[in-house]
Amino acid sequence: MPRNDIPPSSLPAAKPSATNRLVRRTTSELVAEALRDRILSGAIPPGSPLRQELLAEELGVSRIPVREAIRQLSAEGLVDAIPHRGAFVSMLSRAEVEELFDIRLRLEPWLIHEAATQISEEELALAEQCVARMDTAGPEQWGQLNWQLHEGLYRAAQRPAALAIVRGLHEKSERYFRFQVVNAPIRQQAHQEHMALISLCRGRQADQAQAVLERHIGDAAEQILAIVERLLDQAPGRDPA
């Protein structure tokens, strides 16, 4: 039986918390982090099987934490658990990315335009705090923080039905955001664009905020599509032609 496409490595060490105290994590959490890093970086390509016994041997753990880790990654949308077949790294879809971002481009610029003339200073301050947290967040938190930031800006538009639709789009896009933040040098670009949006909303410059957001979403779509295409080229059974 071929070995899983994951290089032998030690599990991640415990990380210090904000109070500089070491945070003890369970073995399953450490295994999930190790597998998540390899999936997001493309070291384990989309469609690859995750064989519990081989992973347990390579990571030096029992099968129980591996099973728990795979269950967690399945809940995150990174792994597909198929009855009677096993677990596989979730496939990516270029068509899905294109559709999600096409809809975002039609709704979100309108929402920011509506919000820019109504948003409060308190809401803008919360958005700035969210940007600061994104600067150091890991890929497993970055997508959620990105949504918190956008939601905080859009909520001032007072369009709850549209906001609910956009929330669903971000939830479906979250795993793609994770691939983006791991594979593309976007942190500084995202920081600058997010702060520009906040500044334009603070200045009630609705047209400019709408234009910046259109470029922001379009750039993200291009980056994610390029990453998805590269990862799909590495996927098992992909026809190189």
Side-chain angles (χ1 to χ4, degrees):
M1 180 181 296
R3 295 179 67 82
N4 192 283
D5 188 13
I6 174 171
S9 64
S10 58
L11 292 174
K15 295 182 179 180
S17 67
T19 58
N20 294 323
R21 296 180 61 186
L22 289 178
V23 177
R24 293 188 178 276
R25 291 180 291 170
T26 65
T27 303
S28 63
E29 289 173 334
L30 295 171
V31 170
E33 180 176 333
L35 295 179
R36 185 186 296 112
D37 287 346
R38 286 156 178 76
I39 291 171
L40 293 175
S41 68
I44 311 180
S48 297
L50 297 176
R51 306 192 188 285
Q52 293 182 22
E53 62 278 10
L54 294 180
L55 289 171
E57 178 184 350
E58 291 170 5
L59 295 173
V61 299
S62 71
R63 292 178 60 178
I64 294 175
V66 174
R67 186 182 308 119
E68 294 173 348
I70 289 175
R71 186 180 299 115
Q72 172 62 34
L73 296 176
S74 177
E76 295 177 13
L78 296 177
V79 170
D80 292 328
I82 303 175
H84 310 300
R85 289 189 57 197
F88 299 81
V89 177
S90 295
M91 291 300 295
L92 305 175
S93 168
R94 181 183 180 91
E96 181 179 46
V97 173
E98 290 175 336
E99 182 178 9
L100 291 173
F101 278 87
D102 279 349
I103 301 172
R104 287 188 61 194
L105 274 170
R106 283 159 173 77
L107 283 178
E108 294 183 47
W110 168 64
L111 282 174
I112 198 71
H113 190 279
E114 294 294 301
T117 58
Q118 305 180 68
I119 194 166
S120 69
E121 182 57 37
E122 180 182 2
E123 289 170 318
L124 291 169
L126 290 173
E128 289 174 332
Q129 294 174 18
C130 196
V131 172
R133 292 169 62 195
M134 291 175 70
D135 288 342
T136 57
E140 65 274 17
Q141 289 94 32
W142 199 89
Q144 295 176 355
L145 288 170
N146 183 66
W147 166 242
Q148 289 178 24
L149 168 66
H150 284 264
E151 181 184 33
L153 294 175
Y154 301 157
R155 192 181 292 114
Q158 301 181 44
R159 298 291 189 272
L163 187 61
I165 294 171
V166 173
R167 181 184 297 111
L169 295 172
H170 276 255
E171 289 174 352
K172 291 180 179 179
S173 302
E174 184 177 346
R175 68 169 176 155
Y176 295 109
F177 287 137
R178 295 188 186 195
F179 285 103
Q180 181 192 26
V181 76
V182 167
N183 290 274
I186 68 159
R187 286 188 185 270
Q188 186 59 34
Q189 177 184 351
H191 176 96
Q192 293 172 349
E193 292 174 352
H194 287 150
M195 292 303 294
L197 280 173
I198 293 170
S199 177
L200 291 168
C201 288
R202 181 172 278 125
R204 307 304 192 202
Q205 297 174 278
D207 291 342
Q208 293 91 328
Q210 178 175 334
V212 167
L213 185 58
E214 287 173 348
R215 290 194 299 271
H216 176 68
I217 295 174
D219 287 347
E222 289 182 4
Q223 290 174 343
I224 291 176
L225 283 169
I227 294 165
V228 166
E229 194 62 37
R230 175 176 61 80
L231 294 175
L232 287 175
D233 283 342
Q234 302 169 4
R238 175 68 181 260
D239 185 352

